[in-house]
Amino acid sequence: MSTSSLPLPLPLALPPHTASMLDRVRTQCASGRTEWQDCKDPETTVAVERYTSSAIYEQEIDKLFRGLPLIAAHSSELQAGQVLAHDGYGVPMVLSRDQNGVVRAHLNVCRHRGTRLIESTSAMDKASIVCPYHGWTYQLDGKLRHRLHAESFDKKECADEDLVALPCEERYGLIWVIPQAKQDMASQPIDLDSYLGELNSEMPFYETENLTHFRTIEAEYPANWKLIVDAFLESYHIRVLHKNTIAPFFTDGITAGGTFGSEQDGKPHIHSLVARRAAQAWSERPDSPLPTNIRELSELVTPSQVIFPNTITIFHPDYLSLITLYPTSAGTFRWTHKMLIPKAQSGSDWAPHWEKTFNLIEKGVFQKEDIHTTINIQKGFASGANTSLRLGRIEQAVAWFHASVAKHTDCQTASAV
Ligand code: FES
Ligand SMILES: [Fe+2]
């Protein structure tokens, strides 16, 4: 396998919240007593209708999936001079990166008679965007450049001729959009400083911008999208559901997590560390060195984030799973799992290794275990066995997530959340 000729990145100090969460993991491992064992909070519940109600689904689309900054792609999926269509949010978008590297999002709709402009959801090289119906031609920045038989049309204001822009921002190797066209909004930058809050000080350590896209798998499943988020917010199930796959790598229920983001948004993002077995021996030695980069950290703990509302990061020891959930109805969602790997290990000689690794986690763990379970939970809702689901103190982060969804959607939430 090829090795990188690039200089190694300078070690980064642990960011403050990651350092404090790692310290909490260390304390739990060393003492043999978990935080949830000492937690005095009552258990909580989530009403089943949160997963089945079409009215709640409509509210979520309106409030979460039209008004909030959402992740649409990894930066490495869109090179300079490329475009791709993105339909996941139910709004036809075209993402483009111009020759100066600037990423933009526009509605994928011609301003003449509304034809879809870009078909491919994979990146394609394009010097301009040419409508396949009558050939109106747009620059990658959305400006109308050419009309066939232009004298047939009256001159309009630019705003009526150029592609409709959506707010778009690139940060931490992620392309963020707000998939709603509002007057004057597109020219405003997305305020990620405020939206991500203290997560901004954590993210550089995780080096998400240094990774490159290896593979995406997409599929639609019959379950509510939030059941998947729930599954990635608690480690309670690892010992049982994943007993034949990943459980041997993890401790039983030792985690540390917290909420991030602006107070106004209710700090909706959740960042947590799940202790791996290696954390046990590391915690017991007082002279154990602190990890200095994400690779060393992810040997001890698996960091994971729910970037509110619908993106999940899982930092495996050698690569990142970037999972984005696109709700398509109250009882269905589209799953998108991207494998992002270090650039230094992206040569073709590494491909069989990543292929095998991706198949093991995507098919063997996520599809057969986590997704399979959520589909069965959704089926069980119709039985009426439960009107609410119970969350123990070990599953507290699931309650944080539902509280944030409820806060943003103005709906009555679960009884005790
Ligand atoms: S609809 Fe696009 S050029 Fe006519
Ligand atoms: Fe799981």
Side-chain angles (χ1 to χ4, degrees):
M1 293 178 184
S2 62
T3 51
S4 166
S5 56
L6 296 170
L8 288 171
L10 291 173
L12 286 167
L14 281 174
H17 294 281
T18 299
S20 120
M21 289 191 290
L22 186 62
D23 194 50
R24 287 163 53 197
V25 164
R26 182 180 226 161
T27 303
Q28 293 177 79
C29 287
S31 68
R33 186 117 188 119
T34 59
E35 289 182 356
W36 55 265
Q37 285 175 302
D38 292 324
C39 177
K40 299 283 186 289
D41 295 345
E43 73 168 57
T44 51
T45 60
V46 185
V48 163
E49 70 161 353
R50 305 292 308 178
Y51 304 99
T52 57
S53 159
S54 294
I56 291 175
Y57 163 77
E58 297 292 343
Q59 283 275 14
E60 289 171 354
I61 294 298
D62 187 39
K63 298 285 175 22
L64 304 179
F65 292 92
R66 294 293 175 270
L68 295 180
L70 304 168
I71 292 168
H74 187 259
S75 297
S76 62
E77 294 179 89
L78 194 62
Q79 303 298 320
Q82 290 191 325
V83 301
L84 62 81
H86 191 291
D87 299 307
Y89 289 118
V91 173
M93 296 190 289
V94 54
L95 305 181
S96 62
R97 187 189 294 280
D98 70 17
Q99 292 297 350
N100 297 320
V102 178
V103 173
R104 294 182 179 85
H106 295 97
L107 291 181
N108 192 6
V109 177
C110 183
R111 300 308 304 276
H112 174 218
R113 279 170 49 203
T115 301
R116 181 179 172 88
L117 296 163
I118 298 293
E119 285 291 345
S120 173
T121 53
S122 304
M124 302 168 70
D125 292 333
K126 289 271 180 198
S128 55
I129 297 171
V130 183
C131 179
Y133 203 178
H134 313 93
W136 283 27
T137 301
Y138 304 88
Q139 299 172 179
L140 296 195
D141 63 5
K143 295 222 174 323
L144 179 68
R145 193 176 76 196
H146 174 74
R147 285 180 295 192
L148 190 62
H149 300 315
E151 64 276 17
S152 161
F153 297 92
D154 297 336
K155 182 80 182 152
K156 294 271 189 197
E157 293 296 316
C158 288
D160 295 328
E161 300 194 317
D162 299 339
L163 295 182
V164 176
L166 302 169
C168 181
E169 200 74 35
E170 187 171 29
R171 191 180 290 193
Y172 309 125
L174 301 166
I175 297 172
W176 308 70
V177 295
I178 297 179
Q180 175 165 253
K182 268 197 191 154
Q183 213 72 41
D184 300 333
M185 221 174 102
S187 53
Q188 307 290 324
I190 299 177
D191 187 4
L192 290 176
D193 286 343
S194 158
Y195 187 60
L196 296 177
E198 289 164 311
L199 213 47
N200 283 297
S201 61
E202 305 290 304
M203 287 300 283
F205 179 84
Y206 290 87
E207 297 186 39
T208 38
E209 69 267 60
N210 292 344
L211 301 173
T212 191
H213 175 257
F214 175 73
R215 183 80 68 246
T216 296
I217 190 149
E218 289 183 77
E220 186 156 7
Y221 293 110
N224 184 278
W225 66 282
K226 298 188 296 298
L227 285 172
I228 292 287
V229 181
D230 297 352
F232 285 97
L233 279 174
E234 48 91 356
S235 62
Y236 183 33
H237 72 277
I238 292 179
R239 179 170 166 178
V240 179
L241 182 64
H242 300 310
K243 63 180 179 298
N244 297 322
T245 53
I246 56 170
F249 301 110
F250 289 92
T251 61
D252 183 16
I254 298 181
T255 65
T259 57
F260 296 84
S262 72
E263 296 286 350
Q264 188 192 334
D265 285 323
K267 295 183 157 228
H269 315 292
I270 298 170
H271 184 96
S272 55
L273 306 179
V274 180
R276 299 174 70 86
R277 286 276 158 96
Q280 192 63 52
W282 173 81
S283 300
E284 285 161 5
R285 285 196 314 270
D287 57 343
S288 291
L290 282 175
T292 57
N293 58 47
I294 176 58
R295 284 156 297 282
E296 291 174 9
L297 177 68
S298 56
E299 295 289 336
L300 297 175
V301 292
T302 295
S304 179
Q305 298 154 334
V306 169
I307 301 178
F308 192 76
N310 66 326
T311 292
I312 300 161
T313 58
I314 302 159
F315 294 86
H316 307 286
D318 48 353
Y319 67 98
L320 169 64
S321 281
L322 182 73
I323 296 165
T324 302
L325 310 165
Y326 300 102
T328 49
S329 74
T332 55
F333 74 97
R334 195 157 187 83
W335 161 272
T336 304
H337 176 197
K338 296 178 194 295
M339 183 190 213
L340 300 165
I341 59 172
K343 283 181 189 157
Q345 294 163 353
S346 60
S348 58
D349 44 352
W350 280 89
H353 166 75
W354 294 124
E355 205 70 68
K356 187 172 160 214
T357 307
F358 190 57
N359 275 334
L360 278 174
I361 194 83
E362 166 62 28
K363 297 202 174 118
V365 180
F366 293 163
Q367 289 182 20
K368 282 205 187 122
E369 295 175 347
D370 294 295
I371 297 171
H372 176 76
T373 301
T374 61
I375 292 169
N376 282 340
I377 293 171
Q378 192 78 28
K379 278 185 197 154
F381 286 149
S383 71
N386 296 309
T387 53
S388 61
L389 306 184
R390 297 177 63 182
L391 298 170
R393 282 172 281 279
I394 193 172
E395 301 159 287
Q396 205 177 29
V398 179
W400 298 342
F401 169 65
H402 285 274
S404 289
V405 172
K407 177 181 168 61
H408 282 261
T409 53
D410 300 319
C411 287
Q412 201 59 41
T413 185
S415 56
V417 173

